[in-house]
Amino acid sequence: MHELGVLNALVHTVEGIVREEGLTEVEKIVIEVGELSGIVPRYIEQCYPAAVYKTFMEKTALELVVVPGIVKCRECGRVFNAAANDLYCLDCGGQNLEILEGNDMIVKEIVCR
Amino acid sequence: MNGFKVLQVKQSVFADNDRRAEELRQELKKQRVFLLNLMSSPGAGKTTLLSRTIEALDGKLKVGVMEADIDSDVDARTIESFGAKVIQLHTGGMCHLDADMTRQGLEALGTGDVELAVLENVGNLVCPAEFDTGAVKNAMILSVPEGDDKPLKYPLIFSVCDVVLINKTDVLPYFDFDMEKCAANIRMRNPKAKIIPVCARTGEGIDAWVGWLCDEVTKWKKP
Ligand SMILES: Nc1nc2c(ncn2[C@@H]2O[C@H](COP(=O)(O)OP(=O)(O)OP(=O)(O)O)[C@@H](O)[C@H]2O)c(=O)[nH]1
Ligand SMILES: [Mg+2]
Ligand SMILES: [Zn+2]
Ligand SMILES: [Zn+2]
């Protein structure tokens, strides 16, 4: 049920923006999902209709943009895609990694009026 | 394009919850109530450690506990038998608690006579880390049988914790658990986390943990 909880949080966040900006209609939202966020894009897509059912977002389209999980090895300095490499450094095998990008889930854009 | 515009937002999906959590924290500060969010995998020892903690506090702090079991009141009854005020939170099958659910829990518990409120979060290492509950401090329990590589597999929860309790040290002889390696793995994710090995069964390390907790409560209650 994790993705449903995340989407529920999303609906509340968009609701806040709609109120603040005085919007009347939200046609589409563009969401960035980081590869290292622990959130699975496919599940988000599957849960979305249930999460927005009977909310003001019922007719709002969802566009997901996957953001690569980029990390920097603190041992040797190499920068690489960690999601594709199981969180091990390609060069030195180290696991002391600093996450540079792809750690979170962000509302990027709202197409609205 | 019939009046539609594109609004650049760039806000976390959790922004609304983060805001509510911050509001709750500010209110708790005014009421001088310290809220601890206790997280772990199922069965790592949250309820047992909490019982030990209440025992060790020996009435020094007035404790209130919120138990977020998905569907039973077993833990709530255990805590009650140790003399703390307790309520059962109904999560409706949710795998985590957010700031609103925590607020409702605190209202149901009644914090007028509580100095230390503890939220036993749902046993799960993923989403509780993403949802700020409004707690003053986050604690997590990692138990020895789960392995010393957990911080590598679940980086987020370790990065949001102020303190990590390594529980069930009594079973160390039976597992390939390297305490040094575990501490190093935790520090990679969170250099600031305090790490305390404890054993809820034998009581080892409980003094250090209760000492940390009492210091934090005292700091929070200062205006
Ligand atoms: N050997 C040993 N067992 C422990 C220790 N602490 C807890 N346990 C046992 O671990 C099991 C689970 O403990 P609980 O305190 O119920 O764990 P919990 O995290 O509250 O579990 P859930 O609420 O179900 O997620 C029980 O059988 C406890 O007796 C410990 O320090 N050593
Ligand atoms: Mg429990
Ligand atoms: Zn969840
Ligand atoms: Zn490296």
Side-chain angles (χ1 to χ4, degrees), chain B residues 54-83:
Chain B
I54 295 163
E55 209 172 48
L57 281 169
D58 195 24
K60 276 200 287 274
L61 290 174
K62 284 175 230 132
V63 185
V65 177
M66 296 176 281
E67 285 291 341
D69 266 348
I70 288 187
D71 205 16
S72 89
D73 66 350
V74 179
D75 287 354
R77 272 183 293 165
T78 305
I79 295 295
E80 197 163 36
S81 73
F82 280 83

mmCIF file of all heavy atoms in Angstrom, chain B residues 54-83:
data_model
loop_
_atom_site.group_PDB
_atom_site.id
_atom_site.type_symbol
_atom_site.label_atom_id
_atom_site.label_comp_id
_atom_site.label_asym_id
_atom_site.label_seq_id
_atom_site.Cartn_x
_atom_site.Cartn_y
_atom_site.Cartn_z
ATOM 1 N N ILE B 54 10.364 2.455 29.852
ATOM 2 C CA ILE B 54 9.408 2.969 30.843
ATOM 3 C C ILE B 54 9.836 2.518 32.240
ATOM 4 O O ILE B 54 9.847 3.296 33.192
ATOM 5 C CB ILE B 54 7.976 2.480 30.514
ATOM 6 C CG1 ILE B 54 7.523 3.079 29.174
ATOM 7 C CG2 ILE B 54 7.000 2.863 31.625
ATOM 8 C CD1 ILE B 54 6.329 2.372 28.554
ATOM 9 N N GLU B 55 10.260 1.265 32.313
ATOM 10 C CA GLU B 55 10.733 0.693 33.576
ATOM 11 C C GLU B 55 11.939 1.484 34.094
ATOM 12 O O GLU B 55 11.989 1.894 35.253
ATOM 13 C CB GLU B 55 11.159 -0.748 33.290
ATOM 14 C CG GLU B 55 11.031 -1.725 34.423
ATOM 15 C CD GLU B 55 11.323 -3.121 33.856
ATOM 16 O OE1 GLU B 55 12.333 -3.295 33.132
ATOM 17 O OE2 GLU B 55 10.529 -4.022 34.131
ATOM 18 N N ALA B 56 12.906 1.724 33.195
ATOM 19 C CA ALA B 56 14.145 2.398 33.591
ATOM 20 C C ALA B 56 13.899 3.863 33.965
ATOM 21 O O ALA B 56 14.598 4.410 34.815
ATOM 22 C CB ALA B 56 15.180 2.307 32.472
ATOM 23 N N LEU B 57 12.925 4.490 33.338
ATOM 24 C CA LEU B 57 12.625 5.888 33.659
ATOM 25 C C LEU B 57 12.064 5.998 35.078
ATOM 26 O O LEU B 57 12.189 7.032 35.722
ATOM 27 C CB LEU B 57 11.620 6.469 32.655
ATOM 28 C CG LEU B 57 12.193 6.888 31.308
ATOM 29 C CD1 LEU B 57 11.088 7.180 30.310
ATOM 30 C CD2 LEU B 57 13.094 8.121 31.460
ATOM 31 N N ASP B 58 11.434 4.934 35.528
ATOM 32 C CA ASP B 58 10.970 4.823 36.905
ATOM 33 C C ASP B 58 10.181 6.060 37.361
ATOM 34 O O ASP B 58 10.421 6.603 38.443
ATOM 35 C CB ASP B 58 12.212 4.594 37.800
ATOM 36 C CG ASP B 58 11.801 4.110 39.198
ATOM 37 O OD1 ASP B 58 10.698 3.543 39.323
ATOM 38 O OD2 ASP B 58 12.583 4.326 40.155
ATOM 39 N N GLY B 59 9.303 6.522 36.505
ATOM 40 C CA GLY B 59 8.448 7.660 36.877
ATOM 41 C C GLY B 59 9.087 9.025 36.722
ATOM 42 O O GLY B 59 8.458 10.045 36.997
ATOM 43 N N LYS B 60 10.361 9.069 36.279
ATOM 44 C CA LYS B 60 11.049 10.368 36.131
ATOM 45 C C LYS B 60 10.385 11.255 35.079
ATOM 46 O O LYS B 60 10.446 12.471 35.159
ATOM 47 C CB LYS B 60 12.524 10.156 35.756
ATOM 48 C CG LYS B 60 13.409 9.914 36.979
ATOM 49 C CD LYS B 60 14.874 10.173 36.692
ATOM 50 C CE LYS B 60 15.537 9.125 35.838
ATOM 51 N NZ LYS B 60 16.082 7.953 36.418
ATOM 52 N N LEU B 61 9.799 10.623 34.059
ATOM 53 C CA LEU B 61 9.064 11.372 33.042
ATOM 54 C C LEU B 61 7.680 10.766 32.903
ATOM 55 O O LEU B 61 7.531 9.546 32.977
ATOM 56 C CB LEU B 61 9.761 11.266 31.677
ATOM 57 C CG LEU B 61 11.103 11.968 31.461
ATOM 58 C CD1 LEU B 61 11.654 11.600 30.085
ATOM 59 C CD2 LEU B 61 10.951 13.471 31.585
ATOM 60 N N LYS B 62 6.699 11.616 32.671
ATOM 61 C CA LYS B 62 5.361 11.077 32.415
ATOM 62 C C LYS B 62 5.278 10.673 30.946
ATOM 63 O O LYS B 62 5.451 11.498 30.062
ATOM 64 C CB LYS B 62 4.294 12.108 32.768
ATOM 65 C CG LYS B 62 4.099 12.224 34.277
ATOM 66 C CD LYS B 62 3.122 13.329 34.612
ATOM 67 C CE LYS B 62 3.712 14.244 35.665
ATOM 68 N NZ LYS B 62 3.577 15.660 35.335
ATOM 69 N N VAL B 63 5.033 9.380 30.724
ATOM 70 C CA VAL B 63 5.112 8.832 29.374
ATOM 71 C C VAL B 63 3.724 8.514 28.818
ATOM 72 O O VAL B 63 2.858 8.017 29.534
ATOM 73 C CB VAL B 63 5.958 7.528 29.380
ATOM 74 C CG1 VAL B 63 6.154 7.017 27.947
ATOM 75 C CG2 VAL B 63 7.312 7.753 30.047
ATOM 76 N N GLY B 64 3.531 8.813 27.547
ATOM 77 C CA GLY B 64 2.323 8.406 26.830
ATOM 78 C C GLY B 64 2.749 7.717 25.545
ATOM 79 O O GLY B 64 3.669 8.174 24.876
ATOM 80 N N VAL B 65 2.102 6.609 25.215
ATOM 81 C CA VAL B 65 2.525 5.831 24.053
ATOM 82 C C VAL B 65 1.378 5.669 23.059
ATOM 83 O O VAL B 65 0.232 5.435 23.443
ATOM 84 C CB VAL B 65 3.049 4.442 24.495
ATOM 85 C CG1 VAL B 65 3.425 3.596 23.283
ATOM 86 C CG2 VAL B 65 4.243 4.592 25.438
ATOM 87 N N MET B 66 1.719 5.797 21.781
ATOM 88 C CA MET B 66 0.754 5.525 20.713
ATOM 89 C C MET B 66 1.250 4.315 19.938
ATOM 90 O O MET B 66 2.357 4.329 19.402
ATOM 91 C CB MET B 66 0.650 6.734 19.774
ATOM 92 C CG MET B 66 0.109 7.966 20.471
ATOM 93 S SD MET B 66 0.101 9.398 19.367
ATOM 94 C CE MET B 66 1.812 9.883 19.438
ATOM 95 N N GLU B 67 0.431 3.284 19.902
ATOM 96 C CA GLU B 67 0.804 2.037 19.234
ATOM 97 C C GLU B 67 0.138 1.961 17.875
ATOM 98 O O GLU B 67 -1.083 1.954 17.784
ATOM 99 C CB GLU B 67 0.338 0.846 20.080
ATOM 100 C CG GLU B 67 1.187 0.589 21.303
ATOM 101 C CD GLU B 67 2.571 0.087 20.932
ATOM 102 O OE1 GLU B 67 2.756 -0.403 19.796
ATOM 103 O OE2 GLU B 67 3.474 0.186 21.782
ATOM 104 N N ALA B 68 0.938 1.878 16.832
ATOM 105 C CA ALA B 68 0.360 1.850 15.488
ATOM 106 C C ALA B 68 0.366 0.453 14.883
ATOM 107 O O ALA B 68 0.837 0.257 13.785
ATOM 108 C CB ALA B 68 1.101 2.810 14.580
ATOM 109 N N ASP B 69 -0.140 -0.487 15.626
ATOM 110 C CA ASP B 69 -0.267 -1.831 15.064
ATOM 111 C C ASP B 69 -1.368 -1.841 14.025
ATOM 112 O O ASP B 69 -2.404 -1.212 14.215
ATOM 113 C CB ASP B 69 -0.658 -2.827 16.156
ATOM 114 C CG ASP B 69 0.556 -3.494 16.736
ATOM 115 O OD1 ASP B 69 1.632 -3.356 16.137
ATOM 116 O OD2 ASP B 69 0.417 -4.136 17.777
ATOM 117 N N ILE B 70 -1.155 -2.565 12.968
ATOM 118 C CA ILE B 70 -2.171 -2.546 11.918
ATOM 119 C C ILE B 70 -3.505 -3.096 12.425
ATOM 120 O O ILE B 70 -4.541 -2.504 12.207
ATOM 121 C CB ILE B 70 -1.670 -3.251 10.640
ATOM 122 C CG1 ILE B 70 -0.618 -2.338 9.982
ATOM 123 C CG2 ILE B 70 -2.819 -3.521 9.667
ATOM 124 C CD1 ILE B 70 -0.124 -2.762 8.638
ATOM 125 N N ASP B 71 -3.470 -4.195 13.134
ATOM 126 C CA ASP B 71 -4.763 -4.780 13.492
ATOM 127 C C ASP B 71 -4.821 -5.551 14.806
ATOM 128 O O ASP B 71 -5.415 -6.612 14.876
ATOM 129 C CB ASP B 71 -5.217 -5.700 12.344
ATOM 130 C CG ASP B 71 -6.735 -5.860 12.332
ATOM 131 O OD1 ASP B 71 -7.400 -5.052 12.987
ATOM 132 O OD2 ASP B 71 -7.227 -6.794 11.686
ATOM 133 N N SER B 72 -4.169 -5.039 15.855
ATOM 134 C CA SER B 72 -4.337 -5.737 17.129
ATOM 135 C C SER B 72 -3.989 -4.793 18.265
ATOM 136 O O SER B 72 -3.397 -3.747 18.048
ATOM 137 C CB SER B 72 -3.416 -6.953 17.201
ATOM 138 O OG SER B 72 -2.170 -6.573 17.741
ATOM 139 N N ASP B 73 -4.359 -5.165 19.474
ATOM 140 C CA ASP B 73 -4.020 -4.301 20.605
ATOM 141 C C ASP B 73 -3.056 -4.999 21.557
ATOM 142 O O ASP B 73 -2.930 -4.654 22.710
ATOM 143 C CB ASP B 73 -5.296 -3.859 21.329
ATOM 144 C CG ASP B 73 -6.023 -5.019 21.985
ATOM 145 O OD1 ASP B 73 -5.651 -6.187 21.725
ATOM 146 O OD2 ASP B 73 -6.954 -4.753 22.767
ATOM 147 N N VAL B 74 -2.341 -6.000 21.028
ATOM 148 C CA VAL B 74 -1.407 -6.771 21.855
ATOM 149 C C VAL B 74 -0.330 -5.864 22.450
ATOM 150 O O VAL B 74 -0.073 -5.872 23.647
ATOM 151 C CB VAL B 74 -0.736 -7.883 21.006
ATOM 152 C CG1 VAL B 74 0.246 -8.678 21.852
ATOM 153 C CG2 VAL B 74 -1.788 -8.804 20.414
ATOM 154 N N ASP B 75 0.304 -5.036 21.583
ATOM 155 C CA ASP B 75 1.385 -4.168 22.046
ATOM 156 C C ASP B 75 0.869 -3.131 23.037
ATOM 157 O O ASP B 75 1.526 -2.834 24.032
ATOM 158 C CB ASP B 75 2.045 -3.463 20.859
ATOM 159 C CG ASP B 75 2.903 -4.422 20.036
ATOM 160 O OD1 ASP B 75 3.068 -5.582 20.465
ATOM 161 O OD2 ASP B 75 3.407 -4.002 18.979
ATOM 162 N N ALA B 76 -0.317 -2.594 22.771
ATOM 163 C CA ALA B 76 -0.885 -1.584 23.658
ATOM 164 C C ALA B 76 -1.080 -2.159 25.054
ATOM 165 O O ALA B 76 -0.785 -1.521 26.059
ATOM 166 C CB ALA B 76 -2.207 -1.066 23.089
ATOM 167 N N ARG B 77 -1.547 -3.414 25.112
ATOM 168 C CA ARG B 77 -1.765 -4.015 26.435
ATOM 169 C C ARG B 77 -0.449 -4.263 27.162
ATOM 170 O O ARG B 77 -0.361 -4.110 28.375
ATOM 171 C CB ARG B 77 -2.601 -5.292 26.305
ATOM 172 C CG ARG B 77 -4.104 -4.953 26.360
ATOM 173 C CD ARG B 77 -4.952 -6.175 26.308
ATOM 174 N NE ARG B 77 -4.812 -6.792 24.993
ATOM 175 C CZ ARG B 77 -5.200 -8.028 24.706
ATOM 176 N NH1 ARG B 77 -5.725 -8.776 25.639
ATOM 177 N NH2 ARG B 77 -5.063 -8.504 23.498
ATOM 178 N N THR B 78 0.583 -4.644 26.395
ATOM 179 C CA THR B 78 1.901 -4.845 27.009
ATOM 180 C C THR B 78 2.390 -3.546 27.646
ATOM 181 O O THR B 78 2.809 -3.519 28.811
ATOM 182 C CB THR B 78 2.932 -5.290 25.938
ATOM 183 O OG1 THR B 78 2.428 -6.432 25.281
ATOM 184 C CG2 THR B 78 4.285 -5.590 26.560
ATOM 185 N N ILE B 79 2.319 -2.459 26.878
ATOM 186 C CA ILE B 79 2.805 -1.164 27.372
ATOM 187 C C ILE B 79 2.000 -0.715 28.591
ATOM 188 O O ILE B 79 2.553 -0.240 29.579
ATOM 189 C CB ILE B 79 2.712 -0.099 26.248
ATOM 190 C CG1 ILE B 79 3.654 -0.446 25.086
ATOM 191 C CG2 ILE B 79 2.990 1.293 26.775
ATOM 192 C CD1 ILE B 79 5.128 -0.419 25.417
ATOM 193 N N GLU B 80 0.697 -0.936 28.537
ATOM 194 C CA GLU B 80 -0.168 -0.542 29.652
ATOM 195 C C GLU B 80 0.250 -1.253 30.938
ATOM 196 O O GLU B 80 0.261 -0.670 32.012
ATOM 197 C CB GLU B 80 -1.614 -0.879 29.299
ATOM 198 C CG GLU B 80 -2.626 -0.172 30.173
ATOM 199 C CD GLU B 80 -4.009 -0.202 29.531
ATOM 200 O OE1 GLU B 80 -4.345 -1.230 28.897
ATOM 201 O OE2 GLU B 80 -4.728 0.788 29.685
ATOM 202 N N SER B 81 0.654 -2.509 30.793
ATOM 203 C CA SER B 81 1.035 -3.285 31.983
ATOM 204 C C SER B 81 2.309 -2.724 32.622
ATOM 205 O O SER B 81 2.640 -3.047 33.754
ATOM 206 C CB SER B 81 1.206 -4.765 31.627
ATOM 207 O OG SER B 81 2.401 -4.938 30.895
ATOM 208 N N PHE B 82 3.039 -1.876 31.884
ATOM 209 C CA PHE B 82 4.222 -1.234 32.457
ATOM 210 C C PHE B 82 3.892 0.136 33.039
ATOM 211 O O PHE B 82 4.781 0.909 33.389
ATOM 212 C CB PHE B 82 5.343 -1.130 31.407
ATOM 213 C CG PHE B 82 6.087 -2.424 31.238
ATOM 214 C CD1 PHE B 82 5.584 -3.422 30.421
ATOM 215 C CD2 PHE B 82 7.271 -2.651 31.940
ATOM 216 C CE1 PHE B 82 6.259 -4.630 30.273
ATOM 217 C CE2 PHE B 82 7.939 -3.849 31.801
ATOM 218 C CZ PHE B 82 7.434 -4.842 30.968
ATOM 219 N N GLY B 83 2.618 0.458 33.088
ATOM 220 C CA GLY B 83 2.192 1.656 33.804
ATOM 221 C C GLY B 83 2.176 2.942 32.994
ATOM 222 O O GLY B 83 2.031 4.016 33.557
#
